Amino acid sequence: MLEDIEKVLFHESTILSRLDELAHEITTDYRGKDLTVIAILNGSFVFMADLLRRVPLPLQVECLSVSSYHGTRTTGQVNFRQTTLADFRNRHVLLLDDILDSGHTLHAIGTRLSEGGALSLRTCVLLRKRVEREREVDADYVAFDIPNEFVVGYGLDYNENYRNLPFVGVLNEAAIQRGAKPA
Ligand code: IMP
Ligand code: MG
């Protein structure tokens, strides 16, 4: 699996020290407020666990499962795997995702959640790609800005593989060409 990585962008220790800062900001902003964190699965499961353990506030966690990617390309169509959402009326909602790329995912979820009666809705992403977005959307909290390269690890996948790598890295061309399975 490691031989499929062209280069490491962020080692685990780098990610965790950045999460210390981000968690501090979030803790300051949401102190005294009723907070529901909604994590978008599968990509944000590692990010969610590491970030939220650094936020010493009472909060509720919900998970939302969506998909829009096939291989290294977005399909532009966001599929929700749940039909009902948790009740977050009169609560502040913080949406967590692994990466902001074309913007389709955060735009679709934001639209869906905005009908739910939340007091506020903000988004937090581990990575934000420097690309022209197909949807007008930005994140309120960003751990790292990255160039337009396909990355895996720390929750992010290529055809559902590599999520368990402890770092964020760029996949090499051979692995991309090979498709589904790591060597
Ligand atoms: P968007 O809808 O194009 O903004 O992309 C958001 C989703 O696409 C993320 O939650 C990821 O699941 C996936 N994605 C986008 N870029 C990458 C990448 O470089 N590596 C792995 N997954 C990605
Ligand atoms: Mg994905």
Side-chain angles (χ1 to χ4, degrees), residues 28-44:
T28 306
D29 292 353
Y30 288 97
R31 194 178 298 285
K33 295 179 173 163
D34 292 321
L35 174 61
T36 297
V37 176
I38 301 184
I40 304 171
L41 295 181
N42 297 329
S44 69

Side-chain angles (χ1 to χ4, degrees), residues 94-111:
L94 181 61
L95 199 55
L96 292 191
D97 203 0
D98 52 359
I99 185 165
L100 172 58
D101 183 12
S102 71
H104 284 294
T105 306
L106 283 184
H107 181 266
I109 294 173
T111 305

